[in-house]
Amino acid sequence: NAGVMQNPRHLVRRRGQEARLRCSPMKGHSHVYWYRQLPEEGLKFMVYLQKENIIDESGMPKERFSAEFPKEGPSILRIQQVVRGDSAAYFCASSLQGGNGNTIYFGEGSWLTVV
Amino acid sequence: SQELEQSPQSLIVQEGKNLTINCTSSKTLYGLYWYKQKYGEGLIFLMMLQKGGEEKSHEKITAKLDEKKQQSSLHITASQPSHAGIYLCGADDPGGGADGLTFGKGTHLIIQP
C-alpha cells in the first residue's frame, strides 16, 4: 500500500481559501477512491473515480467539493472556500479493478487543518 | 444502508497476551476487509474475507468470517508493541455496486509492556 502517494501530507488553510489534495494511485491501478476521516468519526466514503470518469460521488458534499482523475496526472480532490468543519484527514485509495472483492490500498493521507 | 459495529471500542492488553476484536454487520457481508491504522498515518491492508466460514492468517493475526457472513473477528496471538494501533473493518456494498467500502469506527488497541 506504500504505492498510493498523497500530497501534501499536511495542509493548513484559512477559512475561505481553497484546498487541493493530490493522489497518485498504485502503479497499474485505474480506480481511485477518496475517503474522509473526521475526528471522533469513522472513515467515510466520498467519491469513486476511474480515469476521466466519476463513477460514484454519493458521499461528496453537494457544495464546494469536487474531484477529478484526468487521463494524465494524479487525482485531485478540491475543496473551495474551506470552513473549519472541513478539517479532517483525507485518504485516497486505489484498486486494480472496481466492484466488490478487489483489494483497496490506501495512501498515507492528507491532514487538512482550517484556521 | 449497511452499518458496521466494532467491539470493543478500545482495548488495553498486556504484551504477550491474546486478544480478539469483533466486527458485526447489519446486513450480509459480501466482502469484509481488515485494516490497521497507526495514529496519524494511513491504513495498512491486513486481510480480505469473502466466503462464509473463511479464515485467513498473517503472521500472528487471524481473521474469520462466520458462516452466516454477518460477523468477523480478528484475533492476535501473543501481542507485541508493534500491534498497537486502530483496527478498522470495512465492507463491500452488499448490492454489488461501485461505491466504496463502509467502515466501522475502529478499535483502538494499546499494548502495555
Side-chain angles (χ1 to χ4, degrees), chain B residues 14-85:
Chain B
Q14 200 167 20
E15 184 178 350
K17 298 293 186 185
N18 303 337
L19 64 106
T20 300
I21 297 169
N22 294 302
C23 176
T24 303
S25 173
S26 58
K27 297 183 179 180
T28 300
L29 292 162
Y30 289 90
L32 190 285
Y33 301 74
W34 282 101
Y35 289 88
K36 177 186 170 186
Q37 183 182 21
K38 292 225 176 215
Y39 296 99
E41 297 181 15
L43 278 69
I44 299 169
F45 171 74
L46 296 175
M47 277 169 278
M48 179 180 71
L49 304 163
Q50 287 186 284
K51 299 175 185 173
E54 186 176 9
E55 180 175 316
K56 287 187 179 178
S57 293
H58 175 66
E59 297 179 346
K60 293 185 178 179
I61 302 176
T62 301
K64 291 172 66 172
L65 182 61
D66 75 345
E67 289 289 344
K68 293 182 180 178
K69 294 174 63 175
Q70 282 202 265
Q71 185 172 47
S72 177
S73 59
L74 186 86
H75 184 77
I76 300 177
T77 306
S79 58
Q80 299 169 355
S82 60
H83 288 129

Side-chain angles (χ1 to χ4, degrees), chain A residues 43-85:
Chain A
L43 205 56
K44 302 290 185 190
F45 165 77
M46 297 181 76
V47 62
Y48 163 40
L49 310 104
Q50 254 186 296
K51 281 288 185 182
E52 301 185 274
N53 292 307
I54 296 174
I55 308 299
D56 182 350
E57 55 181 349
S58 57
M60 286 279 269
K62 298 293 180 213
E63 296 174 347
R64 302 186 297 106
F65 284 71
S66 62
E68 62 176 15
F69 188 17
K71 190 176 179 182
E72 302 290 337
S75 174
I76 295 174
L77 181 68
R78 183 180 176 207
I79 311 171
Q80 295 177 289
Q81 300 173 322
V82 295
V83 300
R84 287 232 172 99

Side-chain angles (χ1 to χ4, degrees), chain B residues 80-95:
Chain B
Q80 299 169 355
S82 60
H83 288 129
I86 304 168
Y87 288 81
L88 294 160
C89 64
D92 276 325
D93 168 30

